[in-house]
Amino acid sequence: MSSLTPPQADPNEVLRETEAAVEKIAAARNEIARVIFGQESVVERALITLLSGGHGLLVGVPGLAKTKLVETLGTVLGLDARRIQFTPDLMPSDILGAEVMDQAPDGSRSFRFIQGPVFSQVLMADEINRASPRTQSALLQAMQEYHVTIAGHRHDLPRPFHVLATQNPLEQEGTYPLPEAQLDRFLMQIDVHYPDREAERRILLETTGAAEAQARTVMSAEDLTASQQLVRRMPVGESVVEAILHLVRSARPGEGETNDEISNLIAWGPGPRASQALMLTVRARALVDGRLAPSVDDVLALAEPVLQHRMALTFAARADGHTIRGLIGKVKARIG
């Protein structure tokens, strides 16, 4: 069997839907490029995250347009986007909402639920590690179950629902590192780097004048939902499945094919959720690139953003100067 395709998927129908989706995604990407300069890889991975139906963690120093990117994504994709600035005094009710007591004209009283900003389609959690663990955990149920529970009552979130959180890797004083359980809920960790010289020149010229480019809406929430369903129906070759299995299992302690230095350097590695994330993201990357099926190259390209926040090195490995990225590179070399 050369590929794994859901038995109910009609290849011709998938082809037609793929071609239509590719056109819309290309239009969305071009529209984002009018506003966000020099971050092509970041834009691609953010789109892949949304097309895969997941959540993204954007890590980078201040001033690299992380907030602008999320705002632009919401506009271009026609989604209801909201932003929360995480601070140490932020409470769970500031995210989820709260019940308030109303008094009717006849004197009767009843509770009314006021929705918090989590009731959106794209929620930007700015500097998520600045809030306390109690507040961070308020997002856990929302990110995994797509509903929240307030005073014993379930409240479903709008669909699609995505969390795009930012984190400053430099200033760590007074922050609360995200626990492993919450990090695992993020489909990808997207590292945001400095733009190159030409991109920064364009930023200088086009963002400091009297007129600044404004993004237009080119997709809708329904289009995004249809594309997410299409991603799950795309065929995946057996070689891609084997590459994913080999990559993820080699990144676990004691589970590599050979008991070599790589497995001995890993304290804990990615679980099956990482394999699921790669299965979705490689399909989404193929769709963004206008291809009908993913390849092993997609697995190699997305290995670092999918795995790096799901692994930890041993103390001895850190003392010897090893890094997570370097370790992932060694695992990728065995596949490539």
Side-chain angles (χ1 to χ4, degrees):
M1 184 175 181
S2 59
S3 64
L4 301 178
T5 310
Q8 71 274 16
D10 179 3
N12 293 327
E13 182 181 353
V14 172
L15 177 61
R16 289 192 298 269
E17 293 182 14
T18 301
E19 291 173 346
V22 165
E23 290 184 11
K24 293 179 180 178
I25 294 169
R29 199 170 180 178
N30 291 335
E31 192 63 27
I32 295 170
R34 293 179 58 248
V35 180
I36 306 296
F37 311 130
Q39 298 288 2
E40 289 81 5
S41 175
V42 175
V43 170
E44 179 189 65
R45 291 177 179 181
L47 280 173
I48 289 171
T49 299
L50 297 184
L51 289 169
S52 302
H55 313 289
L57 179 64
L58 291 91
V59 179
V61 300
L64 296 182
K66 299 185 296 295
T67 303
K68 187 69 173 177
L69 171 61
V70 178
E71 175 188 330
T72 304
L73 281 169
T75 300
V76 171
L77 300 179
L79 304 176
D80 175 24
R82 302 185 188 181
R83 176 176 177 267
I84 302 175
Q85 180 65 51
F86 277 62
T87 57
D89 60 346
L90 193 73
M91 300 295 291
S93 59
D94 297 325
I95 299 173
L96 307 180
E99 288 194 328
V100 298
M101 182 174 289
D102 283 341
Q103 183 168 336
D106 61 0
S108 61
R109 298 178 179 178
S110 61
F111 284 103
R112 177 170 59 91
F113 176 63
I114 299 179
Q115 294 182 348
V118 75
F119 287 86
S120 59
Q121 293 173 316
V122 174
L123 177 67
M124 179 174 188
D126 211 353
E127 293 193 292
I128 189 172
N129 58 328
R130 296 221 170 272
S132 66
R134 178 186 178 191
T135 302
Q136 290 177 11
S137 65
L139 279 177
L140 279 176
Q141 184 183 27
M143 293 171 66
Q144 185 66 26
E145 306 295 337
Y146 298 98
H147 68 263
V148 298
T149 304
I150 307 293
H153 298 287
R154 168 174 168 158
H155 300 273
D156 291 326
L157 298 173
R159 299 300 298 269
F161 172 74
H162 303 277
V163 173
L164 293 176
T166 69
Q167 188 169 291
N168 178 1
L170 298 180
E171 188 181 351
Q172 295 298 321
E173 184 176 349
T175 63
Y176 303 86
L178 296 178
E180 291 78 9
Q182 186 158 347
L183 281 173
D184 198 35
R185 262 112 176 137
F186 287 102
L187 190 76
M188 288 202 294
Q189 176 181 317
I190 305 171
D191 292 329
V192 186
H193 302 292
Y194 294 112
D196 59 31
R197 186 182 183 89
E198 288 307 311
E200 193 160 2
R201 175 189 293 274
R202 187 180 173 193
I203 292 171
L204 291 176
L205 296 176
E206 298 194 24
T207 64
T208 60
E212 189 172 346
Q214 298 293 326
R216 297 177 294 107
T217 300
V218 298
M219 287 180 65
S220 65
E222 292 74 20
D223 292 332
L224 179 60
T225 301
S227 297
Q228 291 172 347
Q229 295 171 350
L230 176 62
V231 164
R232 290 179 171 270
R233 295 162 56 201
M234 291 176 68
V236 181
E238 185 67 30
S239 61
V240 175
V241 176
E242 288 299 320
I244 291 173
L245 287 172
H246 182 71
L247 181 74
V248 174
R249 297 186 68 83
S250 296
R252 296 172 185 164
E255 287 206 27
E257 290 185 1
T258 57
N259 187 18
D260 56 12
E261 76 281 0
I262 292 183
S263 60
N264 293 330
L265 297 174
I266 303 171
W268 55 270
R273 189 176 283 149
S275 305
Q276 294 172 320
L278 277 169
M279 277 289 284
L280 289 171
T281 54
V282 296
R283 290 162 162 165
R285 187 173 191 265
L287 191 63
V288 169
D289 287 347
R291 290 178 281 115
L292 303 180
S295 67
V296 174
D297 288 339
D298 294 314
V299 179
L300 299 176
L302 295 175
E304 186 175 301
V306 170
L307 297 183
Q308 63 180 330
H309 59 296
R310 293 182 165 100
M311 299 173 58
L313 299 177
T314 63
F315 176 80
R318 296 196 304 271
D320 289 341
H322 293 282
T323 63
I324 289 291
R325 292 177 184 173
L327 209 61
I328 294 175
K330 291 180 179 180
V331 176
K332 285 166 57 177
R334 294 179 171 181
I335 299 176

